[in-house]
Structure formats: C-alpha cells, structure tokens
Coordinates of all heavy atoms in Angstrom, one line a residue:
E13 N -6.4 17.6 -14.2 CA -5.7 17.5 -15.5 C -4.4 16.8 -15.3 O -3.9 16.0 -16.2 CB -5.4 18.9 -16.0 CG -6.6 19.7 -16.4 CD -6.4 21.0 -17.0 OE1 -5.3 21.3 -17.5 OE2 -7.3 21.9 -17.0
I14 N -3.7 16.9 -14.1 CA -2.5 16.2 -13.8 C -2.8 14.7 -13.7 O -2.1 13.9 -14.1 CB -1.9 16.8 -12.5 CG1 -1.5 18.2 -12.7 CG2 -0.7 15.9 -12.1 CD1 -1.1 18.9 -11.4
I15 N -3.9 14.4 -13.0 CA -4.3 13.0 -12.8 C -4.7 12.4 -14.2 O -4.2 11.2 -14.5 CB -5.5 12.9 -11.9 CG1 -5.2 13.4 -10.5 CG2 -6.0 11.4 -11.8 CD1 -6.4 13.5 -9.5
A16 N -5.4 13.1 -15.0 CA -5.7 12.6 -16.3 C -4.5 12.3 -17.2 O -4.4 11.3 -17.8 CB -6.6 13.6 -17.0
Q17 N -3.5 13.2 -17.1 CA -2.3 13.0 -17.8 C -1.6 11.7 -17.3 O -1.1 10.9 -18.1 CB -1.4 14.2 -17.6 CG 0.0 14.0 -18.3 CD 1.0 15.1 -18.0 OE1 1.7 15.0 -17.0 NE2 0.9 16.2 -18.7
K18 N -1.6 11.5 -16.0 CA -1.0 10.3 -15.5 C -1.7 9.0 -15.9 O -1.0 8.0 -16.3 CB -1.0 10.4 -13.9 CG -0.1 9.3 -13.2 CD 1.3 9.8 -13.0 CE 2.1 8.9 -12.2 NZ 3.0 9.5 -11.2
L19 N -3.0 9.0 -15.9 CA -3.8 7.9 -16.4 C -3.4 7.6 -17.8 O -3.3 6.4 -18.2 CB -5.3 8.1 -16.2 CG -5.8 8.2 -14.8 CD1 -7.3 8.6 -14.8 CD2 -5.5 7.0 -14.0
C20 N -3.3 8.6 -18.6 CA -3.0 8.4 -20.0 C -1.6 7.8 -20.2 O -1.4 6.9 -21.0 CB -3.1 9.7 -20.8 SG -4.7 10.4 -21.0
L21 N -0.7 8.3 -19.4 CA 0.7 7.8 -19.5 C 0.8 6.3 -19.1 O 1.4 5.5 -19.7 CB 1.7 8.6 -18.6 CG 2.1 10.0 -19.2 CD1 2.8 10.8 -18.1 CD2 2.9 9.9 -20.4
I22 N 0.1 6.0 -18.0 CA 0.2 4.6 -17.4 C -0.4 3.7 -18.5 O 0.1 2.6 -18.7 CB -0.6 4.6 -16.1 CG1 0.1 5.3 -15.0 CG2 -0.9 3.1 -15.7 CD1 -0.6 5.5 -13.7
Q23 N -1.6 4.1 -19.1 CA -2.2 3.1 -20.0 C -1.8 3.3 -21.5 O -2.2 2.6 -22.3 CB -3.7 3.3 -19.9 CG -4.2 2.9 -18.5 CD -5.8 2.9 -18.3 OE1 -6.5 2.9 -19.3 NE2 -6.2 2.9 -17.1
D24 N -0.9 4.3 -21.7 CA -0.4 4.6 -23.0 C -1.5 4.8 -24.0 O -1.6 4.2 -25.1 CB 0.6 3.5 -23.5 CG 1.4 3.9 -24.7 OD1 1.7 5.1 -24.8 OD2 1.8 3.0 -25.4
T25 N -2.5 5.6 -23.6 CA -3.6 5.9 -24.5 C -4.2 7.3 -24.2 O -4.0 7.8 -23.0 CB -4.7 4.8 -24.3 OG1 -5.9 5.1 -25.1 CG2 -5.2 4.8 -22.8
L26 N -4.9 7.9 -25.1 CA -5.6 9.1 -24.9 C -7.0 8.9 -24.4 O -7.7 9.9 -24.1 CB -5.7 9.9 -26.2 CG -4.3 10.5 -26.8 CD1 -4.5 11.1 -28.1 CD2 -3.7 11.5 -25.8
A27 N -7.4 7.7 -24.2 CA -8.7 7.3 -23.7 C -8.6 6.3 -22.6 O -9.0 5.1 -22.7 CB -9.6 6.8 -24.8
P28 N -8.1 6.7 -21.4 CA -7.9 5.7 -20.3 C -9.2 5.3 -19.7 O -10.2 6.0 -19.7 CB -7.0 6.5 -19.3 CG -7.4 8.0 -19.5 CD -7.7 8.0 -21.0
K29 N -9.2 4.0 -19.2 CA -10.4 3.4 -18.6 C -10.0 2.8 -17.3 O -9.0 1.9 -17.3 CB -11.1 2.4 -19.5 CG -11.6 3.0 -20.8 CD -12.8 3.8 -20.6 CE -13.4 4.3 -21.9 NZ -14.6 5.3 -21.7
L30 N -10.6 3.1 -16.2 CA -10.4 2.5 -14.9 C -11.3 1.3 -14.8 O -12.5 1.4 -15.1 CB -10.6 3.4 -13.8 CG -9.8 4.7 -13.8 CD1 -10.2 5.7 -12.7 CD2 -8.3 4.3 -13.5
S31 N -10.8 0.1 -14.5 CA -11.5 -1.1 -14.5 C -11.4 -1.9 -13.1 O -10.3 -2.1 -12.7 CB -11.1 -2.0 -15.6 OG -11.7 -3.3 -15.6
K32 N -12.5 -2.2 -12.6 CA -12.5 -3.1 -11.4 C -11.5 -2.7 -10.3 O -10.6 -3.4 -10.0 CB -12.3 -4.6 -11.8 CG -13.4 -5.1 -12.7 CD -13.2 -6.6 -12.9 CE -14.3 -7.1 -13.8 NZ -14.2 -8.6 -14.1
P33 N -11.8 -1.5 -9.6 CA -10.8 -1.1 -8.6 C -10.7 -2.1 -7.5 O -11.7 -2.7 -7.0 CB -11.5 0.2 -8.1 CG -12.9 0.1 -8.5 CD -12.9 -0.7 -9.8
T34 N -9.5 -2.3 -7.1 CA -9.2 -3.4 -6.1 C -8.5 -2.8 -4.9 O -7.6 -1.9 -5.0 CB -8.2 -4.4 -6.7 OG1 -8.9 -5.1 -7.8 CG2 -7.8 -5.5 -5.7
M35 N -8.9 -3.2 -3.7 CA -8.3 -2.8 -2.4 C -7.7 -4.1 -1.8 O -8.5 -5.0 -1.5 CB -9.3 -2.1 -1.5 CG -8.7 -1.7 -0.1 SD -7.4 -0.4 -0.2 CE -8.4 1.0 -0.7
L36 N -6.4 -4.1 -1.5 CA -5.8 -5.2 -0.8 C -5.4 -4.7 0.6 O -4.6 -3.7 0.7 CB -4.6 -5.7 -1.5 CG -4.8 -6.2 -2.9 CD1 -3.5 -6.7 -3.5 CD2 -5.8 -7.4 -3.0
V37 N -6.0 -5.2 1.7 CA -5.6 -4.8 3.0 C -4.8 -5.9 3.6 O -5.3 -7.0 3.9 CB -6.9 -4.5 3.9 CG1 -6.4 -4.2 5.3 CG2 -7.7 -3.4 3.2
F38 N -3.5 -5.6 3.9 CA -2.5 -6.6 4.5 C -2.5 -6.4 6.0 O -2.3 -5.3 6.5 CB -1.2 -6.4 3.8 CG -1.1 -6.6 2.4 CD1 -1.3 -5.6 1.5 CD2 -0.9 -7.9 1.9 CE1 -1.3 -5.8 0.1 CE2 -0.8 -8.1 0.5 CZ -1.0 -7.1 -0.4
A39 N -2.5 -7.5 6.7 CA -2.5 -7.5 8.2 C -1.4 -8.4 8.7 O -1.2 -9.5 8.2 CB -3.9 -7.9 8.7
A40 N -0.7 -7.9 9.8 CA 0.3 -8.7 10.4 C 0.7 -8.1 11.8 O 0.4 -6.9 12.0 CB 1.6 -8.7 9.5
D41 N 1.3 -8.9 12.6 CA 1.7 -8.5 13.9 C 3.2 -8.2 14.0 O 4.0 -8.7 13.1 CB 1.3 -9.5 15.0 CG -0.1 -9.3 15.4 OD1 -0.5 -8.2 15.7 OD2 -0.9 -10.3 15.3
H42 N 3.6 -7.5 15.0 CA 5.0 -7.0 15.1 C 5.6 -7.4 16.5 O 5.0 -7.1 17.5 CB 5.1 -5.5 15.0 CG 4.7 -5.0 13.6 ND1 5.6 -4.5 12.7 CD2 3.5 -5.0 13.0 CE1 5.0 -4.2 11.6 NE2 3.7 -4.5 11.7
G43 N 6.7 -8.1 16.4 CA 7.3 -8.7 17.7 C 7.7 -7.6 18.7 O 7.6 -7.9 19.9
I44 N 8.1 -6.4 18.2 CA 8.5 -5.3 19.1 C 7.4 -5.0 20.2 O 7.7 -4.6 21.3 CB 8.9 -4.1 18.3 CG1 9.6 -3.0 19.2 CG2 7.7 -3.5 17.6 CD1 10.9 -3.4 19.7
V45 N 6.1 -5.2 19.7 CA 5.0 -4.7 20.6 C 5.0 -5.6 21.8 O 4.5 -5.1 22.9 CB 3.7 -4.8 19.8 CG1 2.5 -4.5 20.7 CG2 3.7 -3.9 18.6
N46 N 5.4 -6.8 21.8 CA 5.4 -7.7 22.9 C 6.3 -7.3 24.1 O 6.1 -7.7 25.2 CB 5.7 -9.1 22.5 CG 4.7 -9.7 21.6 OD1 3.5 -9.5 21.7 ND2 5.1 -10.5 20.6
N47 N 7.3 -6.5 23.7 CA 8.3 -6.2 24.7 C 8.5 -4.7 25.0 O 9.1 -4.3 26.0 CB 9.7 -6.8 24.3 CG 9.7 -8.3 24.2 OD1 9.2 -9.0 25.1 ND2 10.2 -8.8 23.1
Y48 N 8.0 -3.9 24.1 CA 8.2 -2.4 24.3 C 6.9 -1.7 24.0 O 6.1 -2.0 23.1 CB 9.3 -1.9 23.4 CG 10.7 -2.4 23.8 CD1 11.2 -3.5 23.2 CD2 11.4 -1.8 24.8 CE1 12.5 -3.9 23.5 CE2 12.6 -2.2 25.2 CZ 13.2 -3.3 24.6 OH 14.4 -3.7 25.0
P49 N 6.6 -0.6 24.7 CA 5.4 0.2 24.5 C 5.5 1.2 23.3 O 5.4 2.4 23.5 CB 5.2 0.9 25.8 CG 6.6 1.2 26.3 CD 7.4 0.0 25.8
V50 N 5.6 0.7 22.1 CA 5.7 1.6 20.9 C 4.3 1.9 20.4 O 4.2 2.7 19.5 CB 6.6 0.9 19.8 CG1 8.0 0.8 20.3 CG2 6.0 -0.4 19.4
S51 N 3.3 1.3 20.9 CA 1.9 1.5 20.5 C 1.0 1.7 21.7 O 1.3 1.1 22.8 CB 1.4 0.4 19.6 OG 0.0 0.6 19.3
S52 N 0.0 2.5 21.5 CA -1.0 2.7 22.6 C -2.0 1.5 22.7 O -2.7 1.4 23.7 CB -1.8 4.0 22.4 OG -2.5 3.9 21.2
C53 N -1.9 0.6 21.7 CA -2.9 -0.5 21.7 C -2.1 -1.8 21.9 O -1.0 -2.0 21.4 CB -3.6 -0.6 20.3 SG -4.6 0.9 20.0
P54 N -2.7 -2.8 22.5 CA -2.1 -4.1 22.6 C -2.2 -4.9 21.3 O -3.0 -4.6 20.5 CB -2.9 -4.8 23.7 CG -4.3 -4.2 23.6 CD -4.0 -2.8 23.2
Q55 N -1.4 -5.9 21.2 CA -1.3 -6.7 19.9 C -2.6 -7.4 19.6 O -3.0 -7.6 18.5 CB -0.2 -7.7 20.0 CG 0.1 -8.4 18.7 CD 1.3 -9.3 18.8 OE1 1.1 -10.5 19.2 NE2 2.5 -8.9 18.5
E56 N -3.4 -7.6 20.6 CA -4.7 -8.3 20.4 C -5.6 -7.5 19.5 O -6.6 -8.1 18.9 CB -5.4 -8.6 21.8 CG -4.8 -9.6 22.6 CD -3.6 -9.1 23.4 OE1 -3.3 -7.8 23.4 OE2 -2.8 -9.9 24.0
V57 N -5.4 -6.2 19.4 CA -6.2 -5.4 18.5 C -6.1 -5.8 17.0 O -7.1 -5.7 16.3 CB -5.9 -3.9 18.7 CG1 -6.7 -3.0 17.7 CG2 -6.3 -3.5 20.2
T58 N -4.9 -6.3 16.6 CA -4.8 -6.6 15.2 C -5.8 -7.7 14.8 O -6.5 -7.4 13.8 CB -3.3 -7.1 14.9 OG1 -2.4 -6.2 15.3 CG2 -3.1 -7.5 13.5
P59 N -5.9 -8.8 15.4 CA -6.9 -9.8 14.9 C -8.3 -9.3 15.1 O -9.2 -9.6 14.4 CB -6.6 -11.1 15.8 CG -5.8 -10.6 16.9 CD -5.0 -9.5 16.5

C-alpha cells in the first residue's frame, strides 16, 4: 500500500502504470586501488 501510494504520487494519478523498466549499470576504476589495499580484489577485476 505504501508503494502504491508512492507510485500514484510520482505519476500524479490514481492509476499508475510502470513502463519499460530500465537498468543502468555504471562501471569505472578508482586510482586509490593502485596504491593502497582498500579492496580484496585487484583493479583488473573491473573490466
């Protein structure tokens, strides 16, 4: 019921419709990893 209320508020309607769900996965490397062990994995794992 809480989710339904939120959908109605977002779409400003009493009959919300979800359309074409999209997932964007962003990938990038971090310079700190080259010099300090802040991760258990090496940077090569990103690509």
Side-chain angles (χ1 to χ4, degrees):
E13 298 186 17
I14 298 171
I15 297 170
Q17 181 188 89
K18 191 88 176 224
L19 294 176
C20 290
L21 284 170
I22 290 171
Q23 297 187 14
D24 196 28
T25 179
L26 292 174
K29 296 290 185 182
L30 299 172
S31 175
K32 296 185 178 180
T34 295
M35 177 67 68
L36 302 179
V37 179
F38 297 91
D41 279 308
H42 295 251
I44 187 73
V45 174
N46 294 321
N47 298 314
Y48 291 98
V50 296
S51 174
S52 61
C53 300
Q55 192 177 83
E56 290 78 12
V57 171
T58 303

